[in-house]
PDB file of all heavy atoms in Angstrom:
ATOM      1  N   ASP A   1      91.805 136.950  92.120  1.00 86.00           N
ATOM      2  CA  ASP A   1      91.997 138.378  91.879  1.00 86.00           C
ATOM      3  C   ASP A   1      90.684 139.121  91.999  1.00 86.00           C
ATOM      4  O   ASP A   1      89.540 138.535  91.894  1.00 86.00           O
ATOM      5  CB  ASP A   1      92.687 138.664  90.518  1.00 86.00           C
ATOM      6  CG  ASP A   1      93.092 140.052  90.355  1.00 86.00           C
ATOM      7  OD1 ASP A   1      94.229 140.377  90.761  1.00 86.00           O
ATOM      8  OD2 ASP A   1      92.379 140.922  89.797  1.00 86.00           O
ATOM      9  N   ARG A   2      90.671 140.420  92.239  1.00 85.00           N
ATOM     10  CA  ARG A   2      89.447 141.196  92.272  1.00 85.00           C
ATOM     11  C   ARG A   2      88.799 141.317  90.916  1.00 85.00           C
ATOM     12  O   ARG A   2      87.616 141.589  90.782  1.00 85.00           O
ATOM     13  CB  ARG A   2      89.749 142.644  92.749  1.00 85.00           C
ATOM     14  CG  ARG A   2      90.240 142.708  94.132  1.00 85.00           C
ATOM     15  CD  ARG A   2      90.322 144.128  94.715  1.00 85.00           C
ATOM     16  NE  ARG A   2      91.032 144.277  96.050  1.00 85.00           N
ATOM     17  CZ  ARG A   2      92.184 144.612  96.163  1.00 85.00           C
ATOM     18  NH1 ARG A   2      92.946 144.877  95.165  1.00 85.00           N
ATOM     19  NH2 ARG A   2      92.706 144.700  97.308  1.00 85.00           N
ATOM     20  N   ALA A   3      89.554 141.156  89.835  1.00 89.00           N
ATOM     21  CA  ALA A   3      89.002 141.218  88.491  1.00 89.00           C
ATOM     22  C   ALA A   3      88.036 139.965  88.222  1.00 89.00           C
ATOM     23  O   ALA A   3      88.251 138.939  89.075  1.00 89.00           O
ATOM     24  CB  ALA A   3      90.108 141.208  87.462  1.00 89.00           C
ATOM     25  N   GLN A   4      87.243 140.032  87.377  1.00 92.00           N
ATOM     26  CA  GLN A   4      86.433 138.924  86.964  1.00 92.00           C
ATOM     27  C   GLN A   4      87.164 137.907  86.079  1.00 92.00           C
ATOM     28  O   GLN A   4      87.697 138.296  85.057  1.00 92.00           O
ATOM     29  CB  GLN A   4      85.165 139.366  86.221  1.00 92.00           C
ATOM     30  CG  GLN A   4      84.158 138.289  85.768  1.00 92.00           C
ATOM     31  CD  GLN A   4      83.275 137.877  86.859  1.00 92.00           C
ATOM     32  OE1 GLN A   4      83.524 138.112  88.008  1.00 92.00           O
ATOM     33  NE2 GLN A   4      82.120 137.343  86.441  1.00 92.00           N
ATOM     34  N   THR A   5      87.438 136.731  86.549  1.00 95.00           N
ATOM     35  CA  THR A   5      88.187 135.767  85.809  1.00 95.00           C
ATOM     36  C   THR A   5      87.216 134.632  85.380  1.00 95.00           C
ATOM     37  O   THR A   5      86.530 134.080  86.238  1.00 95.00           O
ATOM     38  CB  THR A   5      89.309 135.101  86.609  1.00 95.00           C
ATOM     39  OG1 THR A   5      90.166 136.206  87.009  1.00 95.00           O
ATOM     40  CG2 THR A   5      90.066 134.125  85.807  1.00 95.00           C
ATOM     41  N   LEU A   6      87.136 134.332  84.014  1.00 96.00           N
ATOM     42  CA  LEU A   6      86.271 133.270  83.548  1.00 96.00           C
ATOM     43  C   LEU A   6      87.179 132.260  82.863  1.00 96.00           C
ATOM     44  O   LEU A   6      88.105 132.597  82.131  1.00 96.00           O
ATOM     45  CB  LEU A   6      85.300 133.813  82.523  1.00 96.00           C
ATOM     46  CG  LEU A   6      84.268 134.839  83.158  1.00 96.00           C
ATOM     47  CD1 LEU A   6      84.734 136.245  82.932  1.00 96.00           C
ATOM     48  CD2 LEU A   6      82.883 134.695  82.368  1.00 96.00           C
ATOM     49  N   LEU A   7      86.870 130.953  83.054  1.00 96.00           N
ATOM     50  CA  LEU A   7      87.574 129.889  82.541  1.00 96.00           C
ATOM     51  C   LEU A   7      86.827 129.080  81.494  1.00 96.00           C
ATOM     52  O   LEU A   7      85.616 128.810  81.713  1.00 96.00           O
ATOM     53  CB  LEU A   7      88.080 128.931  83.589  1.00 96.00           C
ATOM     54  CG  LEU A   7      88.748 129.558  84.801  1.00 96.00           C
ATOM     55  CD1 LEU A   7      89.124 128.396  85.859  1.00 96.00           C
ATOM     56  CD2 LEU A   7      89.887 130.354  84.453  1.00 96.00           C
ATOM     57  N   LEU A   8      87.504 128.756  80.282  1.00 96.00           N
ATOM     58  CA  LEU A   8      86.819 127.951  79.350  1.00 96.00           C
ATOM     59  C   LEU A   8      87.775 126.690  79.180  1.00 96.00           C
ATOM     60  O   LEU A   8      88.878 126.822  78.639  1.00 96.00           O
ATOM     61  CB  LEU A   8      86.765 128.578  77.978  1.00 96.00           C
ATOM     62  CG  LEU A   8      86.137 127.726  76.886  1.00 96.00           C
ATOM     63  CD1 LEU A   8      84.674 127.438  77.272  1.00 96.00           C
ATOM     64  CD2 LEU A   8      86.232 128.437  75.516  1.00 96.00           C
ATOM     65  N   ASP A   9      87.309 125.611  79.703  1.00 96.00           N
ATOM     66  CA  ASP A   9      88.060 124.391  79.618  1.00 96.00           C
ATOM     67  C   ASP A   9      87.774 123.608  78.390  1.00 96.00           C
ATOM     68  O   ASP A   9      86.589 123.172  78.130  1.00 96.00           O
ATOM     69  CB  ASP A   9      87.707 123.450  80.877  1.00 96.00           C
ATOM     70  CG  ASP A   9      88.796 122.535  81.297  1.00 96.00           C
ATOM     71  OD1 ASP A   9      89.680 122.284  80.417  1.00 96.00           O
ATOM     72  OD2 ASP A   9      88.768 122.094  82.438  1.00 96.00           O
ATOM     73  N   VAL A  10      88.768 123.488  77.494  1.00 95.00           N
ATOM     74  CA  VAL A  10      88.567 122.870  76.233  1.00 95.00           C
ATOM     75  C   VAL A  10      89.035 121.391  76.329  1.00 95.00           C
ATOM     76  O   VAL A  10      90.153 121.043  76.404  1.00 95.00           O
ATOM     77  CB  VAL A  10      89.339 123.527  75.004  1.00 95.00           C
ATOM     78  CG1 VAL A  10      89.020 122.823  73.717  1.00 95.00           C
ATOM     79  CG2 VAL A  10      88.885 124.966  75.022  1.00 95.00           C
ATOM     80  N   GLU A  11      88.066 120.408  76.427  1.00 95.00           N
ATOM     81  CA  GLU A  11      88.319 119.100  76.721  1.00 95.00           C
ATOM     82  C   GLU A  11      88.550 118.321  75.410  1.00 95.00           C
ATOM     83  O   GLU A  11      87.574 118.155  74.582  1.00 95.00           O
ATOM     84  CB  GLU A  11      87.140 118.341  77.470  1.00 95.00           C
ATOM     85  CG  GLU A  11      87.422 117.026  77.905  1.00 95.00           C
ATOM     86  CD  GLU A  11      86.290 116.484  78.792  1.00 95.00           C
ATOM     87  OE1 GLU A  11      86.130 116.925  79.959  1.00 95.00           O
ATOM     88  OE2 GLU A  11      85.515 115.635  78.309  1.00 95.00           O
ATOM     89  N   CYS A  12      89.768 117.890  75.110  1.00 93.00           N
ATOM     90  CA  CYS A  12      90.083 117.265  73.862  1.00 93.00           C
ATOM     91  C   CYS A  12      90.354 115.762  74.013  1.00 93.00           C
ATOM     92  O   CYS A  12      90.399 115.272  75.130  1.00 93.00           O
ATOM     93  CB  CYS A  12      91.372 117.867  73.321  1.00 93.00           C
ATOM     94  SG  CYS A  12      91.337 119.617  72.916  1.00 93.00           S
ATOM     95  N   GLU A  13      90.226 115.057  72.871  1.00 92.00           N
ATOM     96  CA  GLU A  13      90.584 113.625  72.894  1.00 92.00           C
ATOM     97  C   GLU A  13      91.979 113.400  72.423  1.00 92.00           C
ATOM     98  O   GLU A  13      92.463 114.131  71.542  1.00 92.00           O
ATOM     99  CB  GLU A  13      89.531 112.900  71.933  1.00 92.00           C
ATOM    100  CG  GLU A  13      88.079 113.037  72.422  1.00 92.00           C
ATOM    101  CD  GLU A  13      87.158 112.369  71.446  1.00 92.00           C
ATOM    102  OE1 GLU A  13      87.652 111.923  70.336  1.00 92.00           O
ATOM    103  OE2 GLU A  13      85.960 112.290  71.782  1.00 92.00           O
ATOM    104  N   PHE A  14      92.648 112.438  72.987  1.00 92.00           N
ATOM    105  CA  PHE A  14      94.066 112.250  72.804  1.00 92.00           C
ATOM    106  C   PHE A  14      94.311 110.832  72.189  1.00 92.00           C
ATOM    107  O   PHE A  14      94.224 109.826  72.940  1.00 92.00           O
ATOM    108  CB  PHE A  14      94.901 112.492  74.094  1.00 92.00           C
ATOM    109  CG  PHE A  14      94.680 113.902  74.620  1.00 92.00           C
ATOM    110  CD1 PHE A  14      93.775 114.056  75.660  1.00 92.00           C
ATOM    111  CD2 PHE A  14      95.438 114.933  74.141  1.00 92.00           C
ATOM    112  CE1 PHE A  14      93.576 115.330  76.161  1.00 92.00           C
ATOM    113  CE2 PHE A  14      95.204 116.193  74.709  1.00 92.00           C
ATOM    114  CZ  PHE A  14      94.380 116.428  75.719  1.00 92.00           C
ATOM    115  N   SER A  15      94.666 110.755  70.873  1.00 91.00           N
ATOM    116  CA  SER A  15      95.048 109.484  70.376  1.00 91.00           C
ATOM    117  C   SER A  15      96.529 109.103  70.726  1.00 91.00           C
ATOM    118  O   SER A  15      97.245 109.963  71.155  1.00 91.00           O
ATOM    119  CB  SER A  15      94.879 109.593  68.825  1.00 91.00           C
ATOM    120  OG  SER A  15      95.918 110.503  68.339  1.00 91.00           O
ATOM    121  N   ASP A  16      96.773 107.864  70.546  1.00 90.00           N
ATOM    122  CA  ASP A  16      98.170 107.475  70.949  1.00 90.00           C
ATOM    123  C   ASP A  16      99.162 108.206  70.034  1.00 90.00           C
ATOM    124  O   ASP A  16     100.219 108.597  70.459  1.00 90.00           O
ATOM    125  CB  ASP A  16      98.408 105.917  70.652  1.00 90.00           C
ATOM    126  CG  ASP A  16      97.615 105.157  71.805  1.00 90.00           C
ATOM    127  OD1 ASP A  16      97.272 105.734  72.824  1.00 90.00           O
ATOM    128  OD2 ASP A  16      97.666 103.835  71.666  1.00 90.00           O
ATOM    129  N   ASP A  17      98.791 108.421  68.710  1.00 89.00           N
ATOM    130  CA  ASP A  17      99.677 109.115  67.860  1.00 89.00           C
ATOM    131  C   ASP A  17      99.997 110.560  68.337  1.00 89.00           C
ATOM    132  O   ASP A  17     101.068 111.029  68.251  1.00 89.00           O
ATOM    133  CB  ASP A  17      99.108 109.197  66.396  1.00 89.00           C
ATOM    134  CG  ASP A  17      99.243 107.864  65.742  1.00 89.00           C
ATOM    135  OD1 ASP A  17      99.981 106.969  66.241  1.00 89.00           O
ATOM    136  OD2 ASP A  17      98.549 107.613  64.742  1.00 89.00           O
ATOM    137  N   TYR A  18      98.877 111.196  68.844  1.00 88.00           N
ATOM    138  CA  TYR A  18      99.051 112.476  69.373  1.00 88.00           C
ATOM    139  C   TYR A  18      99.986 112.513  70.575  1.00 88.00           C
ATOM    140  O   TYR A  18     100.889 113.369  70.731  1.00 88.00           O
ATOM    141  CB  TYR A  18      97.743 113.172  69.741  1.00 88.00           C
ATOM    142  CG  TYR A  18      97.956 114.543  70.319  1.00 88.00           C
ATOM    143  CD1 TYR A  18      98.112 115.689  69.557  1.00 88.00           C
ATOM    144  CD2 TYR A  18      97.910 114.734  71.711  1.00 88.00           C
ATOM    145  CE1 TYR A  18      98.340 116.898  70.163  1.00 88.00           C
ATOM    146  CE2 TYR A  18      98.233 115.943  72.363  1.00 88.00           C
ATOM    147  CZ  TYR A  18      98.335 117.013  71.550  1.00 88.00           C
ATOM    148  OH  TYR A  18      98.662 118.230  72.179  1.00 88.00           O
ATOM    149  N   LEU A  19      99.789 111.606  71.524  1.00 89.00           N
ATOM    150  CA  LEU A  19     100.542 111.561  72.643  1.00 89.00           C
ATOM    151  C   LEU A  19     102.080 111.282  72.398  1.00 89.00           C
ATOM    152  O   LEU A  19     102.886 111.773  73.021  1.00 89.00           O
ATOM    153  CB  LEU A  19     100.051 110.443  73.605  1.00 89.00           C
ATOM    154  CG  LEU A  19      98.649 110.753  74.259  1.00 89.00           C
ATOM    155  CD1 LEU A  19      98.212 109.647  75.149  1.00 89.00           C
ATOM    156  CD2 LEU A  19      98.596 112.116  74.965  1.00 89.00           C
ATOM    157  N   ILE A  20     102.297 110.406  71.392  1.00 89.00           N
ATOM    158  CA  ILE A  20     103.658 110.166  70.924  1.00 89.00           C
ATOM    159  C   ILE A  20     104.298 111.422  70.475  1.00 89.00           C
ATOM    160  O   ILE A  20     105.430 111.810  70.737  1.00 89.00           O
ATOM    161  CB  ILE A  20     103.735 109.057  69.945  1.00 89.00           C
ATOM    162  CG1 ILE A  20     103.394 107.770  70.513  1.00 89.00           C
ATOM    163  CG2 ILE A  20     105.100 108.966  69.247  1.00 89.00           C
ATOM    164  CD1 ILE A  20     103.171 106.584  69.530  1.00 89.00           C
ATOM    165  N   GLY A  21     103.531 112.192  69.627  1.00 86.00           N
ATOM    166  CA  GLY A  21     103.987 113.440  69.093  1.00 86.00           C
ATOM    167  C   GLY A  21     104.254 114.418  70.269  1.00 86.00           C
ATOM    168  O   GLY A  21     105.307 115.178  70.217  1.00 86.00           O
ATOM    169  N   HIS A  22     103.381 114.488  71.296  1.00 83.00           N
ATOM    170  CA  HIS A  22     103.567 115.383  72.445  1.00 83.00           C
ATOM    171  C   HIS A  22     104.847 114.995  73.208  1.00 83.00           C
ATOM    172  O   HIS A  22     105.591 115.847  73.518  1.00 83.00           O
ATOM    173  CB  HIS A  22     102.364 115.271  73.269  1.00 83.00           C
ATOM    174  CG  HIS A  22     102.498 115.948  74.580  1.00 83.00           C
ATOM    175  ND1 HIS A  22     102.435 117.291  74.704  1.00 83.00           N
ATOM    176  CD2 HIS A  22     102.675 115.433  75.831  1.00 83.00           C
ATOM    177  CE1 HIS A  22     102.607 117.658  76.013  1.00 83.00           C
ATOM    178  NE2 HIS A  22     102.779 116.448  76.727  1.00 83.00           N
ATOM    179  N   ALA A  23     105.039 113.725  73.380  1.00 84.00           N
ATOM    180  CA  ALA A  23     106.236 113.194  74.077  1.00 84.00           C
ATOM    181  C   ALA A  23     107.525 113.673  73.314  1.00 84.00           C
ATOM    182  O   ALA A  23     108.466 114.029  73.944  1.00 84.00           O
ATOM    183  CB  ALA A  23     106.208 111.708  74.243  1.00 84.00           C
ATOM    184  N   LYS A  24     107.483 113.652  71.996  1.00 83.00           N
ATOM    185  CA  LYS A  24     108.657 114.008  71.227  1.00 83.00           C
ATOM    186  C   LYS A  24     108.874 115.528  71.297  1.00 83.00           C
ATOM    187  O   LYS A  24     110.023 116.043  71.414  1.00 83.00           O
ATOM    188  CB  LYS A  24     108.547 113.581  69.758  1.00 83.00           C
ATOM    189  CG  LYS A  24     108.618 112.121  69.602  1.00 83.00           C
ATOM    190  CD  LYS A  24     108.386 111.651  68.184  1.00 83.00           C
ATOM    191  CE  LYS A  24     108.501 110.135  68.065  1.00 83.00           C
ATOM    192  NZ  LYS A  24     108.278 109.703  66.583  1.00 83.00           N
ATOM    193  N   ARG A  25     107.744 116.339  71.352  1.00 79.00           N
ATOM    194  CA  ARG A  25     107.881 117.733  71.359  1.00 79.00           C
ATOM    195  C   ARG A  25     108.467 118.275  72.701  1.00 79.00           C
ATOM    196  O   ARG A  25     109.182 119.148  72.721  1.00 79.00           O
ATOM    197  CB  ARG A  25     106.461 118.392  71.105  1.00 79.00           C
ATOM    198  CG  ARG A  25     106.055 118.336  69.630  1.00 79.00           C
ATOM    199  CD  ARG A  25     104.738 119.196  69.465  1.00 79.00           C
ATOM    200  NE  ARG A  25     103.625 118.669  70.177  1.00 79.00           N
ATOM    201  CZ  ARG A  25     102.775 117.687  69.726  1.00 79.00           C
ATOM    202  NH1 ARG A  25     103.087 117.291  68.472  1.00 79.00           N
ATOM    203  NH2 ARG A  25     101.816 117.303  70.389  1.00 79.00           N
ATOM    204  N   VAL A  26     108.130 117.579  73.801  1.00 74.00           N
ATOM    205  CA  VAL A  26     108.600 117.987  75.035  1.00 74.00           C
ATOM    206  C   VAL A  26     109.820 117.298  75.497  1.00 74.00           C
ATOM    207  O   VAL A  26     110.285 117.557  76.635  1.00 74.00           O
ATOM    208  CB  VAL A  26     107.476 117.825  76.154  1.00 74.00           C
ATOM    209  CG1 VAL A  26     106.282 118.733  75.846  1.00 74.00           C
ATOM    210  CG2 VAL A  26     107.128 116.406  76.380  1.00 74.00           C
ATOM    211  N   GLY A  27     110.382 116.473  74.678  1.00 79.00           N
ATOM    212  CA  GLY A  27     111.651 115.802  74.963  1.00 79.00           C
ATOM    213  C   GLY A  27     111.623 114.488  75.831  1.00 79.00           C
ATOM    214  O   GLY A  27     112.639 113.987  76.226  1.00 79.00           O
ATOM    215  N   LEU A  28     110.378 113.945  75.964  1.00 82.00           N
ATOM    216  CA  LEU A  28     110.258 112.668  76.644  1.00 82.00           C
ATOM    217  C   LEU A  28     110.601 111.460  75.722  1.00 82.00           C
ATOM    218  O   LEU A  28     110.804 110.309  76.244  1.00 82.00           O
ATOM    219  CB  LEU A  28     108.839 112.477  77.208  1.00 82.00           C
ATOM    220  CG  LEU A  28     108.429 113.587  78.221  1.00 82.00           C
ATOM    221  CD1 LEU A  28     106.989 113.336  78.625  1.00 82.00           C
ATOM    222  CD2 LEU A  28     109.334 113.511  79.421  1.00 82.00           C
ATOM    223  N   ALA A  29     110.642 111.683  74.474  1.00 82.00           N
ATOM    224  CA  ALA A  29     110.971 110.649  73.475  1.00 82.00           C
ATOM    225  C   ALA A  29     111.608 111.293  72.338  1.00 82.00           C
ATOM    226  O   ALA A  29     111.569 112.497  72.119  1.00 82.00           O
ATOM    227  CB  ALA A  29     109.648 109.915  73.045  1.00 82.00           C
ATOM    228  N   GLY A  30     112.303 110.481  71.539  1.00 81.00           N
ATOM    229  CA  GLY A  30     112.996 110.984  70.297  1.00 81.00           C
ATOM    230  C   GLY A  30     112.513 110.270  69.070  1.00 81.00           C
ATOM    231  O   GLY A  30     111.621 109.278  69.175  1.00 81.00           O
ATOM    232  N   GLU A  31     112.958 110.605  67.952  1.00 80.00           N
ATOM    233  CA  GLU A  31     112.574 109.871  66.770  1.00 80.00           C
ATOM    234  C   GLU A  31     112.958 108.420  66.739  1.00 80.00           C
ATOM    235  O   GLU A  31     112.364 107.663  66.068  1.00 80.00           O
ATOM    236  CB  GLU A  31     113.250 110.627  65.506  1.00 80.00           C
ATOM    237  CG  GLU A  31     112.683 111.963  65.285  1.00 80.00           C
ATOM    238  CD  GLU A  31     111.188 112.057  65.004  1.00 80.00           C
ATOM    239  OE1 GLU A  31     110.704 111.082  64.396  1.00 80.00           O
ATOM    240  OE2 GLU A  31     110.560 113.016  65.369  1.00 80.00           O
ATOM    241  N   GLN A  32     114.062 108.076  67.486  1.00 81.00           N
ATOM    242  CA  GLN A  32     114.477 106.695  67.557  1.00 81.00           C
ATOM    243  C   GLN A  32     113.973 105.893  68.806  1.00 81.00           C
ATOM    244  O   GLN A  32     114.473 104.822  68.977  1.00 81.00           O
ATOM    245  CB  GLN A  32     116.044 106.667  67.426  1.00 81.00           C
ATOM    246  CG  GLN A  32     116.560 107.331  66.244  1.00 81.00           C
ATOM    247  CD  GLN A  32     116.115 106.806  64.920  1.00 81.00           C
ATOM    248  OE1 GLN A  32     115.888 105.640  64.827  1.00 81.00           O
ATOM    249  NE2 GLN A  32     116.022 107.543  63.885  1.00 81.00           N
ATOM    250  N   THR A  33     113.112 106.507  69.616  1.00 83.00           N
ATOM    251  CA  THR A  33     112.687 105.848  70.777  1.00 83.00           C
ATOM    252  C   THR A  33     111.973 104.551  70.399  1.00 83.00           C
ATOM    253  O   THR A  33     111.098 104.536  69.456  1.00 83.00           O
ATOM    254  CB  THR A  33     111.740 106.716  71.650  1.00 83.00           C
ATOM    255  OG1 THR A  33     112.465 107.851  72.053  1.00 83.00           O
ATOM    256  CG2 THR A  33     111.280 105.959  72.846  1.00 83.00           C
TER     257      THR A  33
END
């Protein structure tokens, strides 16, 4: 775009527990998986 666009990439670390929680939040896994 003609407007000025600036990006801030926030690079995070992902533990297995976080990824499991993410999978459950988006429906890739359930509580009983």
